[in-house]
Amino acid sequence: MSDIISTKVEVMEKAKEANVKFIRLQFTDILGVLKNVAIPVDQLEKALDGELMFDGSSIYGFTRIEESDMYLRPDPKTFAVFPWRPRDGAVARLMCDIYNPDGTPYIGCPRNTLKRVMAEAEELGYTMQVGPELEFFLFHIDENGFPSLKTHDRAGYFDLTPVDMGEDARRNMVLTLEEMGFEIEASHHEVAPGQHEIDFKYSDALDIADKIVTFKFVVRTIAQRHGLHATFMPKPVFGINGSGMHMNQSLFREGKNVFFDPEGPLQLSQEAYNYIGGLLKHARAISAISNPTVNSYKRLVPGYEAPVYLAWSGRNRSPLIRIPAKRGMSTRVELRNPDPSCNPYLAIAACLKAGLDGIKSGITPPPPCDRNIYQMSRAEREELGIGSLPGSLEEALAELCADDVIKDAMGPHIFNKYVEAKTTEWEHYRVQVHQWEIDEYLTRF
């Protein structure tokens, strides 16, 4: 499905050509959980005309029951056939925006939220390009069909068969993603046993957010067909690396990368420096969105390659922000703390909003830090003015609540519902008694 489809007529023709019988109209709730409504193909035209309603009160963070009617508006550019379903009576999908009955964009729709922030960038002459790097684990399913934490894979970074036991599954994931229009740039085993990474080509912000949602769906589906469970949980196993989603970002104007300046320091433009400054200024608040779970902060600790410290560098990987070596059209800023449990629409919107604030406010970042920050003492970090990300979801939510720029990126409705959900998550975690506490205290006291 590599052909670009952009109109209702093209979708109808492609669906007929592929013998599609069912369409899944997909969208996410505010937490990034993928939802869908399945319709027979004879309802496709009505759907493309924006005439299909659903009950928004049943989706977390959407509407109240007394105002529950919502409309799905599919984006024709997102039409794709599921390659793993039968070719005779195929199933396809369309990503959707959520609209109110009066025809206005629904403020609780994460996809609409990203489009709103992208429109702010466009008013300044910018379009955002994003290239994510998603990591995930493949685990065995137990005799009862439930996911386990077991893997017979003992491979490490860039290892291959026979050590990498997930290679066949990963190969099928790549082939499936390519059939659905992804341009895969690399796939490999990651550092931890059972951990993998598949990288796909950068694109505009909305397309990439859609692709991240689709990527996670495809990876989990193909893993299941191999008798495995794929998880994007940030830190499923203590003592080994967790899974991140490094987010490469750049701004373009009239087809040119505005972060590149051949005459600038490190060949970066002033806009690039200000964008970095904006990301660093708002990073602690962004973490509540880019690292949205209690478990996210088990990954963000020193010693496991996850970034913790608020610094940037053109060389080393210990700071929060790295500038990869390639220049020209490939000049980009790599934010290293996001993890794949986030809602990509909200995470990308928050990053773009922070970067734009840096440009508009002329925020200058601190000098680059080219030393290994993990090996510095606290006194050394304090002397250099290097802060750190929040240490818990609770701390991150407090930072989010105090940051008007990132709150504005989310909009009041999503912000309030999101904080409500995540505060409840933290409270549920906080009052639990965990196995570590039993092991540590039961016989001591």
Side-chain angles (χ1 to χ4, degrees):
M1 298 302 302
S2 58
D3 295 338
I4 297 176
I5 299 172
S6 59
T7 69
K8 168 186 167 181
V9 172
E10 288 174 316
V11 171
M12 300 286 289
E13 289 176 350
K14 200 70 178 179
K16 185 176 180 179
E17 177 187 315
N19 194 28
V20 170
K21 297 301 182 186
F22 291 94
I23 308 287
R24 291 190 183 182
L25 304 179
Q26 298 186 328
F27 58 97
T28 73
D29 65 14
I30 65 169
L31 302 180
V33 177
L34 185 63
K35 307 288 185 180
N36 74 209
V37 176
I39 60 170
V41 73
D42 59 12
Q43 296 294 306
L44 176 57
E45 184 170 12
K46 184 185 293 186
L48 291 166
D49 288 336
E51 296 178 9
L52 288 188
M53 287 194 307
F54 74 103
D55 179 6
S57 66
S58 299
I59 306 298
Y60 184 80
F62 278 22
T63 59
R64 297 172 297 183
I65 196 165
E66 65 269 24
E67 50 188 33
S68 58
D69 288 343
M70 302 264 90
Y71 283 84
L72 293 167
R73 289 198 181 178
D75 184 341
K77 293 190 292 295
T78 65
F79 179 83
V81 176
F82 293 151
W84 62 89
R85 299 305 295 265
R87 298 297 183 178
D88 183 20
V91 179
R93 78 90 202 267
L94 286 160
M95 299 301 297
C96 298
D97 297 314
I98 311 301
Y99 274 71
N100 296 309
D102 65 3
T104 56
Y106 176 53
I107 58 173
C109 170
R111 201 170 189 269
N112 283 336
T113 298
L114 176 55
K115 291 170 75 172
R116 172 173 52 80
V117 179
M118 288 170 63
E120 293 177 21
E122 287 166 10
E123 288 178 7
L124 299 172
Y126 302 121
T127 58
M128 184 193 199
Q129 302 287 307
V130 181
E133 302 170 20
L134 284 87
E135 297 169 339
F136 57 93
F137 280 86
L138 292 175
F139 292 123
H140 288 302
I141 294 172
D142 68 19
E143 60 276 8
N144 298 313
F146 295 109
S148 74
L149 292 177
K150 296 178 180 177
T151 172
H152 53 204
D153 168 0
R154 292 292 178 265
Y157 197 59
F158 274 36
D159 279 343
L160 67 161
T161 302
V163 185
D164 176 5
M165 304 302 287
E167 190 173 84
D168 283 348
R170 198 174 68 229
R171 173 183 174 275
N172 284 355
M173 291 168 188
V174 168
L175 294 174
T176 301
L177 290 164
E178 286 179 335
E179 283 194 66
M180 294 186 70
F182 285 68
E183 183 177 335
I184 303 299
E185 295 188 327
S187 74
H188 59 87
H189 198 285
E190 259 297 337
V191 173
Q195 189 181 32
H196 303 263
E197 180 176 321
I198 300 174
D199 300 330
F200 50 91
K201 187 178 180 180
Y202 74 90
S203 182
D204 73 85
L206 186 64
D207 181 50
I208 287 299
D210 289 337
K211 279 189 165 76
I212 291 171
V213 171
T214 299
F215 179 94
K216 293 196 284 187
F217 173 60
V218 169
V219 165
R220 298 186 75 171
T221 299
I222 301 304
Q224 191 174 46
R225 296 171 77 86
H226 283 262
L228 298 168
H229 175 74
T231 180
F232 292 92
M233 180 179 177
K235 186 79 167 185
V237 181
F238 169 72
I240 62 175
N241 286 19
S243 292
M245 188 183 76
H246 300 168
M247 195 184 297
N248 295 275
Q249 308 166 47
S250 54
L251 295 181
F252 278 63
R253 180 190 286 121
E254 297 178 354
K256 295 183 179 180
N257 188 329
V258 301
F259 283 180
F260 176 60
D261 180 356
E263 306 301 324
L266 299 179
Q267 294 190 309
L268 297 177
S269 68
Q270 186 59 49
E271 286 160 303
Y273 281 102
N274 293 150
Y275 193 96
I276 293 167
L279 283 178
L280 287 173
K281 177 181 178 181
H282 298 288
R284 286 175 58 84
I286 292 172
S287 67
I289 304 167
S290 61
N291 305 90
T293 70
V294 165
N295 183 254
S296 296
Y297 297 86
K298 306 294 178 73
R299 167 181 168 258
L300 296 176
V301 294
Y304 296 99
E305 297 191 9
V308 179
Y309 300 113
L310 302 179
W312 72 280
S313 173
R315 291 203 291 270
N316 94 71
R317 284 172 160 81
S318 62
L320 181 72
I321 293 172
R322 185 176 77 96
I323 311 301
K326 293 185 75 174
R327 291 293 182 266
M329 293 291 281
S330 297
T331 307
R332 60 195 187 272
V333 171
E334 179 188 37
L335 185 67
R336 295 174 57 80
N337 68 298
D339 69 54
S341 68
C342 72
N343 183 328
Y345 300 102
L346 299 183
I348 293 172
C351 289
L352 178 56
K353 187 79 172 184
L356 292 177
D357 182 53
I359 291 172
K360 290 188 291 186
S361 304
I363 299 172
T364 300
C369 181
D370 296 327
R371 295 170 56 192
N372 187 338
I373 305 176
Y374 296 136
Q375 295 178 354
M376 292 182 188
S377 66
R378 176 177 291 185
E380 288 177 301
R381 293 195 301 270
E382 289 177 353
E383 185 178 343
L384 293 171
I386 298 174
S388 64
L389 290 172
S392 68
L393 179 60
E394 179 186 41
E395 190 180 343
L397 290 171
E399 293 289 339
L400 175 60
C401 291
D403 193 314
D404 290 339
V405 170
I406 306 305
K407 285 164 63 176
D408 185 60
M410 301 177 79
H413 177 92
I414 287 183
F415 167 75
N416 289 328
K417 291 294 185 182
Y418 187 88
V419 170
E420 176 186 283
K422 290 300 168 180
T423 300
T424 300
E425 180 180 334
W426 172 257
E427 287 300 318
H428 285 171
Y429 169 75
R430 188 181 65 83
V431 300
Q432 292 290 325
V433 177
H434 302 277
Q435 187 61 44
W436 182 89
E437 297 167 272
I438 302 298
D439 296 340
E440 190 77 7
Y441 302 131
L442 188 61
T443 58
R444 189 192 305 180
F445 299 107

